[in-house]
Amino acid sequence: MESISIKAPSSTANLGPGFDVFGLAIDAFYDEITLTKTKGGITIITQDDIPTNPENNTAGLVIKNMKKKFKIKKGIEIKIKKGVPAGFGMGSSAASAAAAAVAFDRLFGLGLDGNTLVEFAGSGEKASAGTVHYDNVAASVLGGFVIVKTNPLDVIRIDPPINLRMCVAVPKLDVPKKKTKVSRGVIPKKVKLTDSVLNISNASAIVAGFMKKDPELIGNSIKDVIVEPARQHMIPGYVKVKQNALKAGALGVTISGAGPSIIAFSQKSANLKKISLAMSKGFASAKIECQTIICKPSKGAVDKRK
């Protein structure tokens, strides 16, 4: 095999109380990576406004790390086609990193397990977020709902309910460079025990909801009293968007990853267009336009031909 193309889905992380632990692959957007063997070095080709130095590019950093680890002398050309909007809390850098790790594994027939692929994909997050974290990449690599345990890394994957649906509102805002780093900076260093207990109970109920294939239990448990209150001021109109979505029939609403996208959880039988419109009106109250997408859980990174 001389070349391979892999597409990886967008993802939403945290799901409210599961900060840095929960991730969910969603079919709203996809990134596509094509790796081709060359004579030497790593070259990045893209039409998007992203770094082409492998050290500063999530996919490039993943390939560099994997080449070194497996002592692969061949050069690699990385073609990146971005579909996931960068900086909006939809796991954009993670989708590229996940697709790159899976593509490298297939191109060189390494046969790596899911945890190892997630670990390499996570190493690429350093290029964009400044730190390694695995919630988005685990979802993009493996698909479905993931729970990330660290020290040592162990990712637990659960198939989501087939009738789970999400409405995502992506506001048209200028996001700062290194946005993830900025939004991590506002999180409180100390947390009240009562808040911690509340978040743990909701997070546990979310896991039970995925195990029992119960969208209502999942949605009703998406309540976060630690990270969301600290970040919501960074998203104009957040309170109104959330109120509107819940009034329109959403089961639970939270910030998608580090934001500024907002995600509402519901089920197939709900009036999803009504929820999406309500979210748009919430942003409009703050004089902000937004794009809304109705989506469902996705499979992980797959060969584009399939």
Side-chain angles (χ1 to χ4, degrees):
M1 193 190 295
E2 291 302 304
S3 182
I4 188 166
S5 291
I6 297 285
K7 67 171 192 172
S10 50
S11 55
T12 186
N14 305 341
L15 282 74
F19 178 72
D20 271 5
V21 175
F22 293 167
L24 179 68
I26 55 177
D27 69 353
F29 307 99
Y30 290 87
D31 272 9
E32 192 185 305
I33 298 273
T34 302
L35 298 187
T36 306
K37 291 176 183 173
T38 62
K39 284 185 177 154
I42 298 171
T43 52
I44 295 174
I45 298 169
T46 182
Q47 292 177 318
D48 300 283
D49 183 24
I50 53 173
T52 52
N53 175 346
E55 281 289 334
N56 305 324
N57 180 294
T58 45
L61 193 53
V62 170
I63 299 304
K64 187 184 171 196
N65 292 341
M66 292 182 85
K67 252 173 72 75
K68 187 178 174 186
K69 174 74 177 174
F70 298 104
K71 298 181 169 60
I72 285 168
K73 300 281 185 272
K74 276 265 182 207
I76 308 268
E77 177 198 88
I78 310 167
K79 258 192 195 150
I80 304 173
K81 198 170 162 190
K82 293 295 294 174
V84 186
F88 284 88
M90 305 295 294
S92 179
S93 57
S96 291
V102 172
F104 193 94
D105 176 55
R106 303 264 174 91
L107 189 62
F108 293 98
L110 301 174
L112 301 175
D113 63 31
N115 270 357
T116 308
L117 287 169
V118 168
E119 197 155 7
F120 278 114
S123 74
E125 285 280 48
K126 216 164 186 178
S128 66
T131 54
V132 174
H133 51 278
Y134 299 103
D135 42 9
N136 289 103
V137 290
S140 279
V141 169
L142 303 171
F145 173 67
V146 293
I147 304 161
V148 177
K149 289 180 71 186
T150 46
N151 294 333
L153 180 67
D154 184 20
V155 183
I156 300 148
R157 183 192 176 281
I158 302 171
D159 281 321
I162 55 169
N163 58 337
L164 180 65
R165 294 292 181 273
M166 284 72 60
C167 300
V168 183
V170 185
K172 291 179 180 169
L173 287 171
D174 288 330
V175 291
K177 288 241 189 292
K178 302 286 182 191
K179 182 224 60 188
T180 301
K181 203 172 179 181
V182 172
S183 55
R184 287 177 93 85
V186 300
I187 296 165
K189 301 279 187 288
K190 288 184 177 176
V191 175
K192 283 197 305 194
L193 182 62
T194 50
D195 288 347
S196 176
V197 170
L198 194 52
N199 265 26
I200 290 168
S201 68
N202 281 319
S204 305
I206 288 171
V207 174
F210 277 100
M211 298 288 288
K212 294 168 80 170
K213 311 291 178 242
D214 183 345
E216 280 198 41
L217 181 54
I218 295 165
N220 293 335
S221 307
I222 290 179
K223 295 184 179 108
D224 168 26
V225 294
I226 297 170
V227 179
E228 184 186 300
R231 282 180 169 172
Q232 65 185 38
H233 72 278
M234 299 170 78
I235 307 170
Y238 179 75
V239 173
K240 195 72 180 152
V241 174
K242 183 170 182 171
Q243 280 174 352
N244 283 7
L246 292 169
K247 269 187 203 159
L251 298 166
V253 181
T254 192
I255 300 167
S256 184
S261 296
I262 299 175
I263 186 160
F265 287 76
S266 195
Q267 49 195 333
K268 197 176 176 182
S269 59
N271 188 338
L272 300 166
K273 282 186 178 166
K274 186 183 175 189
I275 295 168
S276 296
L277 185 62
M279 293 173 87
S280 292
K281 283 180 177 168
F283 272 123
S285 73
K287 297 188 167 45
I288 288 167
E289 286 180 52
C290 75
Q291 174 191 9
T292 56
I293 304 107
I294 293 167
C295 54
K296 60 182 188 295
S298 171
K299 287 191 290 194
V302 290
D303 193 319
K304 190 175 169 270
R305 294 167 298 187
K306 289 179 182 171

